[in-house]
Amino acid sequence: MIAITRYRVPEQESAGFAESMTAVLDALAASPGYRAGRLARTVDDPGLWALVTEWDGAGYYRRALGAYDVRLRFIPLAALAVDEPGAYEIVTSRAAGQRPEKNP
């Protein structure tokens, strides 16, 4: 599953936000079930950021959010989060250069 949390960050807070969110990502990366993660900012609206993480399942993600080290870093940034659903079940995926399989 993937988790996407978007943030609305004032320009003057961008550098500090990136540093703080990198610490959150490091804490999440130490959690069981974590696969990958990235912090991104839109090119069309630099005030809009996204934390995107991949997990073995929703339970791993929820348990990781409850860990003390993660909460300690994550909660101060919650005020900047866009209020919307963020956990997504992967329905289909394709890696770069991967072609769809042909039916026999």
Side-chain angles (χ1 to χ4, degrees):
M1 61 109 8
I2 60 172
I4 303 170
T5 307
R6 297 187 314 144
Y7 297 87
R8 179 62 64 188
V9 181
E11 185 177 339
Q12 65 273 19
E13 296 180 35
S14 291
F17 178 79
E19 185 177 322
S20 296
M21 196 53 76
T22 298
V24 168
L25 195 54
D26 289 343
L28 289 171
S31 302
Y34 175 89
R35 290 185 179 183
R38 60 197 61 82
L39 177 64
R41 182 166 60 175
T42 65
V43 294
D44 298 321
D45 180 358
L48 188 59
W49 295 68
L51 178 67
V52 181
T53 54
E54 299 176 30
W55 299 87
D56 287 337
Y60 289 104
Y61 171 63
R62 291 189 176 113
R63 283 188 292 280
L65 291 180
Y68 177 77
D69 196 36
V70 172
R71 285 184 307 153
L72 183 68
R73 290 171 169 73
F74 219 2
I75 289 180
L77 304 171
L80 299 172
V82 175
D83 186 17
E84 62 187 10
Y88 296 83
E89 175 185 13
I90 303 221
V91 177
T92 189
S93 72
R94 183 96 56 242
Q98 184 182 12
R99 296 177 185 215
E101 293 181 18
K102 294 183 179 182
N103 292 331

